[in-house]
Amino acid sequence: MSVVYETLQHTPGTDGVASAPTVAEPAVALPVTAKRQFNVKDKLGAVMRWLIPPILGLAVFVGIWALIAQETSNLPGPYATWQSAEVLFAHPFYDNGPNDQGIGWNILYSLYRVGIGFGMAALVGIPLGFMIGRFKFLSDMTAPVISLLRPVSPLAWLPIGLLVFKQAEPASIYVIFISSIWPMILNTAVGVRQVPQDYLNVARVLNLSEWKVFTRILFPAVVPHVLTGIRLSIGIAWLVIVAAEMLTGGVGIGFWVWDEWNNLNVAHIIIAIFIVGIVGLLLEQILVFIAKRFTYE
């Protein structure tokens, strides 16, 4: 025996007399399969909206490249470059001597130099940025030096590095160090200065040590600025190493590009351009992921 529930509503009419009772219509529930179809369609639409713009941009880029290649006799087009890349990456880690090594070794050597120079810059630049932001006297003392040296072109430091270190390897690392240190110093110092003064006043009232002020107040607040400086610095370091290796030689992506130019292998130069861009993008995305994980809001 089924029971039917009806909701009766008595609404007044225009003449003040209650109108006839009305029965509320039951809500129509969609079947579970229909809901799933709607969810799938929504997700598919979101994925398509995310994929179509970059795919369209790449298609336009490749199309323009192909048109320019048709009008330029010595410039390989997308298909010819792809064929060269297949041959190049078939054996990326071959080793036929110091001046003939696979593209994989050249990338790893460049990343090694970037890692050493960038790591040294982080070890010096981040603590120095904290001190500059924390102490006004030190900030005023270092401001003219930073303002003078920061705009200098990275390659202008290379002769100084060769003069001091007498070797190409440490000179390249020195150029990366001196070029990537400034964003970390400046962003860290700005982050320290933006910490609310009330926090520091409370620390002074509680008679906290400088170490506790750093670990409990400054560091959590400044982490986003530090990571922004690191992202800027790693991009600069990866750009600088290509140019530095062109001048210093040895194994590395920059030297490989210059060597391929001497061999008039333009397809490999184009491949190197894509490699530099992809590696730089991956480094930046890794740091973006880390920044999201350690951002305190």
Side-chain angles (χ1 to χ4, degrees):
M1 177 178 181
S2 61
V3 180
V4 180
Y5 293 94
E6 294 182 351
T7 303
L8 302 181
Q9 296 179 349
H10 297 272
T11 57
T14 55
D15 55 355
V17 180
S19 61
T22 60
V23 179
E25 296 181 358
V28 179
L30 292 175
V32 176
T33 56
K35 289 183 178 180
R36 290 177 179 175
Q37 289 179 355
F38 279 120
N39 291 334
V40 170
K41 288 182 179 179
D42 291 340
K43 292 180 180 179
L44 183 61
V47 171
M48 294 302 294
R49 287 192 297 270
W50 179 72
L51 285 178
I52 288 177
I55 292 176
L56 183 61
L58 290 174
V60 172
F61 170 76
V62 172
I64 295 174
W65 176 14
L67 291 175
I68 296 174
Q70 287 182 352
E71 301 297 328
T72 307
S73 59
N74 296 326
L75 180 65
Y79 182 68
T81 304
W82 179 262
Q83 289 180 321
S84 297
E86 288 181 340
V87 176
L88 183 66
F89 285 98
H91 303 285
F93 292 102
Y94 73 86
D95 189 351
N96 294 331
N99 294 324
D100 186 11
Q101 298 189 17
I103 185 64
W105 291 119
N106 287 277
I107 296 173
L108 290 179
Y109 270 97
S110 295
L111 287 173
Y112 163 76
R113 297 187 183 101
V114 168
I116 297 297
F118 173 79
M120 293 171 58
L123 290 176
V124 175
I126 294 175
L128 184 58
F130 270 103
M131 290 188 292
I132 290 175
R134 185 80 173 91
F135 305 108
K136 188 177 184 305
F137 177 81
L138 183 61
S139 176
D140 295 338
M141 186 177 69
T142 56
V145 179
I146 295 175
S147 300
L148 178 66
L149 299 182
R150 185 174 61 88
V152 176
S153 173
L155 294 183
W157 295 102
L158 185 58
I160 305 299
L162 292 171
L163 179 65
V164 173
F165 298 104
K166 310 296 183 183
Q167 294 180 358
E169 181 82 10
S172 301
I173 295 174
Y174 163 76
V175 171
I176 296 170
F177 167 82
I178 199 68
S179 302
S180 59
I181 194 173
W182 309 118
M184 285 187 277
I185 293 176
L186 295 177
N187 280 274
T188 303
V190 169
V192 173
R193 294 192 189 104
Q194 290 184 356
V195 174
Q197 187 61 38
D198 293 341
Y199 296 173
L200 301 178
N201 292 337
V202 171
R204 190 177 296 109
V205 170
L206 296 176
N207 198 22
L208 296 180
S209 64
E210 195 64 32
W211 175 251
K212 287 188 177 180
V213 171
F214 169 76
T215 55
R216 302 294 180 85
I217 299 176
L218 295 181
F219 183 75
V222 180
V223 162
H225 296 83
V226 172
L227 293 175
T228 300
I230 289 175
R231 286 177 55 193
L232 295 174
S233 296
I234 196 65
I236 293 173
W238 184 242
L239 290 174
V240 169
I241 190 59
V242 176
E245 288 174 345
M246 284 184 178
L247 298 177
T248 58
V251 182
I253 190 67
F255 171 74
W256 189 80
V257 170
W258 189 251
D259 189 54
E260 295 303 316
W261 167 248
N262 291 330
N263 296 328
L264 298 179
N265 195 336
V266 183
H268 283 186
I269 296 174
I270 296 175
I271 293 170
I273 291 173
F274 282 106
I275 291 172
V276 171
I278 292 171
V279 173
L281 178 62
L282 290 176
L283 292 174
E284 183 179 359
Q285 291 304 312
I286 291 172
L287 291 175
V288 168
F289 174 77
I290 295 173
K292 290 181 179 179
R293 298 283 295 180
F294 291 94
T295 298
Y296 298 92
E297 295 291 346

